[in-house]
Amino acid sequence: MTNPDRVAWFAEARFGLFIHWGPYAAMGRGEQVLMREHLDPRGYAAAACRWNPSRCDPRDWARVARLAGCRYVVLTARHHDGYCLWDSRLTNYTSAAQAPRRDFVAEYVKALRDEGLRVGLYYSLGDWRIPALFAGPQRDPLGWEAFRDYCHGQVEELLSSYGPIDVFWFDGAWPRTAAEWGAERLVARMRALQPNILINNRLGASAGGCQSADGGEGAGGAADLGDFGTPEHAIVPENRPWESCQVSTWRLWGWAPHERFRPADVLLDMLCQCASRGGNLLLNLAPDADGRVPESFALRAAEIGRWLGVHGEAVYGTHDSETFIESVTFGHVTRKNNTVYLIVRFYPPDGMLRVPGLATEVRTATLLTTGQSLRADRYGGGWVLSGLPERPPTHLFPVIRLELAGPPARLEWFEPGQWTGDPLRYLSWAMARGPGFDA
Ligand code: FHN
């Protein structure tokens, strides 16, 4: 069971930056090109050893993360291709031993700390170069044992060499189970080395070997060893800390120069939706072959950061917004105790914003974007706010802060999910018009 104190910062943070970077960036076709295109592993390794991103400066990554309003960053220290971005003593397939002659993890950790950001490391247990990963312990017991111990040893290196690490993000466990990876023993060692570290739920499939579609765990798998869930390309709340990991483009996590970027409002909407459902967003950055931050990403990240600079209290440290307000007709709702934030994606054309379902008295209503006060009046369905500017005060999402007279409660007619619960709660409402079929 996760210690609430250990995970408190994570829930407060709400927004992290994922960085997928490695020699695959030089190929420009995403992070899985080695397997997806069935490349010759020897040719890939030779190209990876020649890869020399001389203009890479992790301080740029850290600055972009801070300007975006991210509170933590997770870097792929080793992805499925097995190339290590740190000076591992267990292999020479590293950025320190090969052409770059640099320990990028060390540079990255220092850059984050200098920017006041928390440090995360991603580590793919799977290494597609190693035949034992595919043969497994039954066919290749000695090869599997050596590979498993190699991975444990590298995790130990990463947690012993770079100071406090806040997040460890496992991935790539497929097709092996948590038991085959020795996940329980590994996690115990990790917590001994770094007692405050947060570990995700991707430590190997459950006994049945199945891994859930979100890259997490089937029920009863190693997910219980981790501290937070990791729905991927989706926002799926869990009854524990969770973080939705999402690409900032259409599909690929690794650099592809011709990939398309999603607009800033779509990326911001994902963050607001995660916060409104009590989770975090881990938004991906794919630096280019030279390690530079694509301008398209930097511009979007800065736009989100400027919005958070004005409206951040509606995201950081907000609770699960228990569904006490129907928000589909205007946007998202987040909450901090008796304060509710309405994140307005669809600006009301009549300048009146309805807050359906809310029973609790609204003491004050403030348009955070401009600081102006709004009028709040009850109506049959909840509350209506008036006095909004005719035109939206921002091209992203205006936010309204409601200070309530107590904890938010919902009116009898409002049921989360709408099409559930007792239909009789709508009877008097429908009877107001009468039973006739004419207009
Ligand atoms: O196969 C990886 C993929 O390349 C990427 O790293 C994502 C990020 O969560 N994880 C795996 C797919 O679930």
Side-chain angles (χ1 to χ4, degrees), residues 139-168:
R139 284 191 180 80
D140 180 4
L142 294 180
W144 173 256
E145 188 179 329
F147 174 48
R148 184 201 59 209
D149 292 349
Y150 169 72
C151 293
H152 282 222
Q154 288 202 318
V155 172
E156 176 129 5
E157 281 184 331
L158 287 169
L159 297 190
S160 308
S161 314
Y162 301 102
I165 302 299
D166 298 288
V167 178
F168 207 89

Side-chain angles (χ1 to χ4, degrees), residues 26-42:
M27 298 184 178
R29 304 190 300 278
E31 77 290 353
Q32 297 186 0
V33 64
L34 170 59
M35 181 183 271
R36 296 264 182 193
E37 295 185 2
H38 210 66
L39 300 180
D40 174 357
R42 294 160 296 182

Side-chain angles (χ1 to χ4, degrees), residues 106-151:
E107 294 180 40
Y108 156 82
V109 168
K110 181 179 185 318
L112 288 196
R113 295 208 177 109
D114 289 351
E115 292 283 1
L117 298 167
R118 287 186 179 261
V119 176
L121 293 175
Y122 165 113
Y123 182 82
S124 171
L125 286 164
D127 177 339
W128 286 342
R129 302 172 304 147
I130 311 302
L133 170 68
F134 305 105
Q138 283 70 33
R139 284 191 180 80
D140 180 4
L142 294 180
W144 173 256
E145 188 179 329
F147 174 48
R148 184 201 59 209
D149 292 349
Y150 169 72
C151 293

Side-chain angles (χ1 to χ4, degrees), residues 18 20 24 31-32 36 76 79-80 122 124 128 169-172 202 211-216 230-233 245-247 251 253-254 282 284:
F18 213 170
H20 275 73
Y24 44 78
E31 77 290 353
Q32 297 186 0
R36 296 264 182 193
T76 54
H79 204 263
H80 310 334
Y122 165 113
S124 171
W128 286 342
W169 219 97
F170 282 107
D171 202 10
R202 300 191 180 192
Q211 189 161 16
S212 55
D214 69 358
T230 56
E232 180 170 325
H233 296 310
C245 54
Q246 300 266 4
V247 290
R251 175 61 181 83
W253 297 92
L282 187 66
N284 187 64

Side-chain angles (χ1 to χ4, degrees), residues 64 67-69 264 296-309 396:
V64 165
L67 290 175
S296 296
F297 182 87
L299 290 173
R300 285 157 175 77
E303 212 176 333
I304 292 170
R306 285 193 293 274
W307 183 89
L308 285 166
L396 286 173

Side-chain angles (χ1 to χ4, degrees), residues 323-326 354-360 379-383 409-415:
T323 40
F324 45 81
I325 289 176
E326 170 51 64
R354 288 153 192 82
V355 189
L358 180 63
T360 314
Y379 82 100
W383 287 81
R410 54 175 183 254
L411 288 172
E412 184 270 337
W413 71 267
F414 177 65
E415 183 85 25

Side-chain angles (χ1 to χ4, degrees), residues 3 6 165 189-198 227:
N3 170 347
R6 192 152 49 81
I165 302 299
R189 181 63 184 143
M190 293 170 74
R191 298 208 188 281
L193 288 168
Q194 299 254 3
N196 294 321
I197 198 165
L198 294 183
D227 300 301

